[in-house]
Amino acid sequence: MLVSLSKLLTLLLLPCTAHAFSLAYSSDGSIKGAHLRDMEEMVALFKKTHPECEITLRTSTSFVDGFIKSNPMNEPDDVPDVAVLYRTTWPRLANRDKLHLLSDFFTPAELARLRRSIRPELFADYYGKHAPAGKYALPLERSFPALLVNLAALPSFQGRESFTWDELFKALKPGTTFTLPSDHWTVTYLLSNAIGKPILAGTTATLTDPRQLQLVGQIAALKKQGVVVTVPMHHDAMVSFANGETAAALVTTSSFQTASKLAHFPFVMLMPPYLKEHRLQSGGADLVLPARSKGDNRPDTKRDIKIFLTWLLSPRINALWAVKTGYLPVIKLAVNEPLFKAELVRLGPVSSIVPVNRAHWTTYPFHKLEEFCNYDPLSSLVSAIFNTTLDAPDAQATRDELRKGEEALRKLLAKQCVD
C-alpha cells in the first residue's frame, strides 16, 4: 500500500514538459456560464500546480459530429486531446474507432489503481454493445434528478428528505407552479420513475404501464391548468426557480450550487421517488481521449495528459470539483476530504442526503441508448406528454404515441445498436 501511495504521489507531483494539449468542455450549465467558470478555475489551478504543463481549454464539444463523419484526410481542425463528453455522445466516437483506449495512456497497473479509486457502480452503466465504459472513458460528472422546493411557497415539505408525485401535485395550489424541463432526459426519467425501474433495462421497454399513463395524465392536466410550466432545459428550470418564479422545479443535483448563489429564500433539495430503492436514473459526462489521425499525441504529450487526468481524479481535486459544481464525487475517498465534509454541513441535514448517502448512488443501466444509435423513438413522446392530455379527445392519440415509442424501443434493444 505504501509503495502504491508513493507512486501515486510521485505522479501527482511530477513536473510536465512543455507540450501543449487541449481540453474540450461543454454542458448545459457551461453553455449558460455556470460550470464553465468552474472548469476555468480548475484549469488555472492545474497550471499553478504544474506550471510547465500547457493546457488549452475549449468551451465547446461541437467537433463531435464533424469528427464522426470525417476520414483521415479531412478531420476537423478543432479535435481536442481530451474531451468531457456526455455519456450519450462518446459511444458514437468509440463505435467508429475515433477514441483512444485508456490503455494507450496508462500502464495496466496505473489503470487498475485508477479504476479502484472510482466508485465501482459507475463502470456498470450500459453504453452499447461495442463501447464498454472501462475501456474508453473515466467518469467525471454524475448527477441525479432532484426537486428544488421553495419552503415559503410549499411549507409542508419542511424537514422532508424525499417526495412522491402525488404529494407534490396535491401541494400545488392555484398560484403556485411546478417547472419541468421539456427535454428527452426528463421524459425518460418521468416514464422510468413512474414504475420504479429503467425503461431501457435488459431487452424490455415499458411506456404504457398504467402507472406511467397516470403520471402522464396528471402532468398534462396540471399543465392545462397552468400549474405545471415547461421550459427547454434543466438550467432554465433552475433559473426560474432561483428567481422565485416557481414553487418547485425538477432539476439535477448539479443545479443546487448555482441555485444557492442566486436564490434569496429558503429552499431544499429533495430526493425523488425510488431513490432509496436504488432505482434512479443518473446523468453526466465522462473524460475521453479522441484519436486523431493527423498530429496525434506524441509520447511526451501523452505523459502530460496522463498527469492531468490523474490530478483531476485525485480525491482532493475531485472533492473540490464536486463542491464547486454540485456533481456527485466519482472518487470514493473524495467524500472523506475536509472541504467536502464542510460542504455537507453547509447543505444542511435535508439537502445533504442526496450527495452523502453512498447507498443511494446506485445508477440505472444506460438510459438514452437511442441517441447514439442514430435513432430516436422518443422524439414524438415529448410533444405527446407535454402538449396533450389523457382526456378525450386526446387520450387515444397520446396512448398511440406511447405505444409506438415502446415498440421502437424494444426493436432497438433487440438490435443492440450493431450498425
Side-chain angles (χ1 to χ4, degrees):
M1 180 62 71
L2 290 176
V3 175
S4 298
L5 181 58
S6 174
K7 287 183 178 179
L8 178 60
L9 290 175
T10 299
L11 183 58
L12 285 171
L13 299 176
L14 200 62
C16 295
T17 51
H19 300 284
F21 65 94
S22 58
L23 166 68
Y25 178 73
S26 181
S27 69
D28 177 21
S30 70
I31 290 170
K32 303 294 172 62
H35 293 157
L36 172 57
R37 290 187 294 272
D38 298 324
M39 183 56 81
E40 289 173 339
E41 291 173 2
M42 298 298 288
V43 168
L45 179 60
F46 175 72
K47 289 180 177 180
K48 184 177 180 180
T49 307
H50 295 282
E52 297 179 6
C53 286
E54 295 184 21
I55 177 174
T56 302
L57 177 62
R58 300 178 182 178
T59 57
S60 172
T61 55
S62 59
F63 73 93
V64 172
D65 287 338
F67 191 35
I68 286 174
K69 299 173 183 177
S70 69
N71 58 51
M73 299 301 295
N74 67 346
E75 289 176 353
D77 294 329
D78 60 344
V79 178
D81 301 292
V82 184
V84 180
L85 296 181
Y86 287 126
R87 295 186 299 160
T88 57
T89 301
W90 71 254
R92 298 167 60 203
L93 294 175
N95 288 340
R96 292 163 177 81
D97 296 322
K98 298 284 189 177
L99 289 182
H100 281 292
L101 295 170
L102 295 174
S103 57
D104 293 340
F105 284 70
F106 294 89
T107 67
E110 291 168 340
L111 198 52
R113 184 165 55 244
L114 186 56
R115 285 171 176 162
R116 284 197 300 270
S117 73
I118 295 171
R119 295 196 52 77
E121 66 269 20
L122 300 184
F123 287 120
D125 286 346
Y126 181 68
Y127 292 85
K129 191 174 182 180
H130 303 296
K135 277 188 163 185
Y136 294 100
L138 294 169
L140 178 66
E141 300 177 346
R142 288 295 183 273
S143 59
F144 293 127
L147 184 74
L148 299 184
V149 177
N150 184 331
L151 294 176
L154 298 174
S156 62
F157 287 90
Q158 179 77 49
R160 298 284 298 277
E161 295 179 359
S162 61
F163 71 96
T164 67
W165 295 115
D166 284 341
E167 289 171 337
L168 175 62
F169 295 152
K170 288 178 181 178
L172 294 171
K173 306 298 182 183
T176 61
T177 57
F178 168 46
T179 300
L180 272 175
S182 57
D183 59 8
H184 292 185
W185 192 89
T186 302
V187 170
T188 310
Y189 165 67
L190 290 171
L191 294 174
S192 302
N193 186 256
I195 56 175
K197 63 181 181 181
I199 61 173
L200 292 179
T203 57
T204 61
T206 302
L207 301 181
T208 54
D209 184 284
R211 292 167 295 179
Q212 292 171 313
L213 293 175
Q214 180 183 4
L215 180 59
V216 169
Q218 287 175 305
I219 292 173
L222 290 173
K223 187 174 186 298
K224 193 173 183 179
Q225 297 169 23
V227 176
V228 168
V229 177
T230 57
V231 292
M233 304 177 77
H234 285 88
H235 183 82
D236 304 310
M238 182 277 297
V239 171
S240 175
F241 176 82
N243 289 338
E245 299 167 2
T246 186
L250 183 67
V251 294
T252 65
T253 51
S254 59
S255 300
F256 187 85
Q257 301 296 75
T258 307
S260 298
K261 299 172 185 176
L262 298 176
H264 300 290
F265 51 83
F267 70 93
V268 292
M269 176 172 62
L270 301 184
M271 293 187 296
Y274 294 113
L275 180 56
K276 288 186 176 181
E277 288 79 8
H278 303 176
R279 305 172 190 163
L280 191 64
Q281 174 178 302
S282 69
D286 295 333
L287 289 155
V288 294
L289 303 161
R292 298 171 296 177
S293 299
K294 298 185 299 183
D296 209 355
N297 309 119
R298 300 184 304 183
D300 41 16
T301 304
K302 285 187 176 182
R303 174 180 173 274
D304 295 353
I305 292 171
K306 181 169 69 173
I307 291 173
F308 172 70
L309 295 177
T310 307
W311 175 86
L312 190 61
L313 294 176
S314 63
R316 182 176 66 87
I317 300 302
N318 185 235
L320 177 62
W321 177 248
V323 169
K324 281 179 173 293
T325 62
Y327 287 115
L328 302 181
V330 298
I331 302 300
K332 289 184 285 189
L333 293 181
V335 297
N336 297 328
E337 290 291 321
L339 72 151
F340 186 74
K341 289 183 176 180
E343 177 63 11
L344 296 179
V345 173
R346 188 190 74 82
L347 289 175
V350 173
S351 296
S352 66
I353 290 294
V354 175
V356 74
N357 195 328
R358 290 180 56 179
H360 293 164
W361 291 4
T362 303
T363 62
Y364 269 170
F366 193 78
H367 67 275
K368 290 179 77 176
L369 179 63
E370 71 278 359
E371 284 200 4
F372 64 83
C373 290
N374 295 319
Y375 185 66
D376 188 0
L378 293 182
S379 59
S380 61
L381 296 185
V382 175
S383 175
I385 288 175
F386 289 116
N387 298 320
T388 65
T389 72
L390 289 182
D391 298 325
D394 298 323
Q396 191 57 49
T398 301
R399 289 190 176 94
D400 288 345
E401 291 294 346
L402 290 167
R403 289 191 180 94
K404 284 193 294 184
E406 180 176 273
E407 181 181 359
L409 282 170
R410 285 179 173 168
K411 289 180 178 179
L412 178 63
L413 286 161
K415 190 176 179 183
Q416 291 204 351
C417 195
V418 295
D419 55 352

